[in-house]
Amino acid sequence: MEEIEHKYIEVNGLKLHIAEIGSGSSPVVVFLHGFPEIWYSWRYQMLAVAKAGYRAIAPDFRGYGLSDQPTQPEKTTFLDLNNDLLALLDALNISKVFLVGKDFGSFVVSYFSILHKERVSGFIVMGVPFLPPKPLEFKQGLPEGFYISRFGVPGRAEADFGRLDAKTVVKNVYILFSRSELPIANEDQEIMDIVQPSTPLPPWFSEEDLTAYGALYENSGFRTALQVPYRSLHEQVNITDPTVHVPALFIKGEKDYFLKFPGIEDYISSGVLKSLVPNLQIVNLPEGTHFVQEQLPDEVNQLVLEFLTKNSKL
């Protein structure tokens, strides 16, 4: 991991931390993390694409990891993250990129691919498919204890997380999100209490990995992370045409709990997704969970490199 360089780029009044590897003149691949992730969640993919001749860049979103906190975390929006990405590319003099997004990073990929079509050569998403910017009703028909509902209540998740250190919070969320069922707490239970203290980490996630994540979230806290994504899902953006025609790939873990969100399987299989992204390829990984890029790095790296090779002029 020592080959990966770290630097800070000032964008929109904040210093964003970026991890980078690869030649400055090569086609650029920008990796966008989810929650409870950080640039580090792309470690396997960054090394693989750099070895293949690409330039890999993975920022920590504002308020995450080593990036600056916004002055008002509770007012952060997905559009802010989109604007940060645009400013980052401008600061680095990068005219066009391939985007790779995971979890809510896929939301940012979706926003950016619609709002700045001319800057995107193609995109890959995993954990969450391409979703056009509109208020998302993920809670319909689910109990009050659904984690999206709980995390969306100001103060409740802060109190829940505040009983534990950052490393334990990340551990619990990784365990919950690597399962195939939706995280739902009982009425008299908090989300962190779903995981028993003795529950082991997923076999593909080491104590060293957990320590790296824990240190980064110890630094940033969870204020911005709870705002985006969980308290920004009703964000309204004025989009006239949500269709994106660039080459795209959705790496879908068959055991990903997100597939059990209301309406998601139908959205993927009914043709609606393909109508929005006509040049989309969907690849299913039968054993894949929500964290496919860390759980199955060799398979994901191969798919990413095949996509880049097919759609770039290296």
Side-chain angles (χ1 to χ4, degrees):
M1 222 65 75
E2 58 278 355
E3 314 97 301
I4 295 176
E5 297 179 352
H6 297 266
K7 62 179 70 170
Y8 292 86
I9 307 293
E10 184 149 342
V11 300
N12 298 322
L14 299 172
K15 286 183 180 176
L16 292 193
H17 166 257
I18 68 166
E20 182 175 10
I21 184 172
S23 168
S25 59
S26 302
V28 179
V29 186
V30 175
F31 294 90
L32 302 172
H33 66 80
F35 177 81
E37 296 160 291
I38 222 71
W39 76 266
Y40 183 84
S41 61
W42 297 113
R43 56 201 180 280
Y44 302 120
Q45 288 70 46
M46 292 181 72
L47 295 172
V49 301
K51 186 178 179 181
Y54 297 89
R55 179 183 178 190
I57 298 172
D60 290 342
F61 286 125
R62 60 167 59 198
Y64 279 81
L66 299 175
S67 290
D68 281 353
Q69 289 287 335
T71 52
Q72 294 179 294
E74 294 76 14
K75 293 186 177 180
T76 304
T77 66
F78 283 112
L79 203 54
D80 288 332
L81 306 190
N82 174 85
N83 293 336
D84 287 349
L85 176 57
L86 180 63
L88 178 64
L89 297 183
D90 288 345
L92 295 172
N93 295 311
I94 297 169
S95 60
K96 210 158 188 176
V97 294
F98 288 97
L99 295 176
V100 183
K102 157 79 196 334
D103 187 67
F104 83 84
S106 299
F107 293 177
V108 182
V109 169
S110 303
Y111 273 51
F112 199 85
S113 298
I114 293 168
L115 295 172
H116 305 288
K117 292 180 168 72
E118 75 287 352
R119 305 295 291 269
V120 181
S121 299
F123 71 79
I124 302 171
V125 290
M126 51 196 89
V128 171
F130 173 93
L131 288 167
K134 64 176 184 179
L136 298 169
E137 299 295 341
F138 287 145
K139 299 180 286 188
Q140 286 183 330
L142 291 172
E144 172 276 334
F146 181 42
Y147 83 99
I148 293 276
S149 301
R150 291 286 185 85
F151 287 0
V153 177
R156 182 152 191 176
E158 286 88 339
D160 187 12
F161 291 3
R163 299 174 297 148
L164 308 167
D165 60 26
K167 183 177 177 180
T168 305
V169 172
V170 172
K171 175 185 176 182
N172 288 351
V173 178
Y174 251 84
I175 290 169
L176 287 172
F177 287 7
S178 64
R179 295 171 176 172
S180 56
E181 63 267 17
L182 294 173
I184 298 174
N186 297 324
E187 284 186 26
D188 58 350
Q189 183 184 43
E190 298 301 327
I191 297 298
M192 289 293 100
D193 297 328
I194 300 174
V195 180
Q196 297 300 315
S198 60
T199 306
L201 287 165
W204 41 264
F205 194 72
S206 70
E207 280 291 337
E208 182 184 358
D209 295 331
L210 179 60
T211 298
Y213 279 99
L216 290 167
Y217 275 95
E218 195 70 50
N219 177 71
S220 67
F222 296 94
R223 284 181 69 190
T224 306
L226 287 167
Q227 174 62 25
V228 179
Y230 299 105
R231 296 168 190 168
S232 302
L233 294 174
H234 292 286
E235 190 176 325
Q236 187 76 55
V237 179
N238 187 24
I239 300 289
T240 53
D241 179 14
T243 311
V244 175
H245 292 276
V246 297
L249 172 64
F250 174 32
I251 301 174
K252 177 184 167 196
E254 291 288 350
K255 295 184 178 180
D256 189 337
Y257 79 96
F258 186 79
L259 298 177
K260 293 184 178 174
F261 275 49
I264 289 297
E265 279 279 29
D266 186 57
Y267 168 72
I268 295 168
S269 61
S270 66
V272 175
L273 174 56
K274 286 281 282 185
S275 72
L276 293 169
V277 192
N279 295 313
L280 176 71
Q281 176 190 7
I282 300 175
V283 175
N284 298 312
L285 297 180
E287 296 302 313
T289 66
H290 193 59
F291 299 101
V292 285
Q293 86 281 19
E294 294 181 278
Q295 176 200 6
L296 303 169
D298 292 341
E299 290 94 322
V300 170
N301 289 352
Q302 182 178 346
L303 291 168
V304 169
L305 291 173
E306 286 174 357
F307 177 86
L308 293 174
T309 301
K310 181 180 177 183
N311 296 295
S312 65
K313 299 172 184 175
L314 190 60

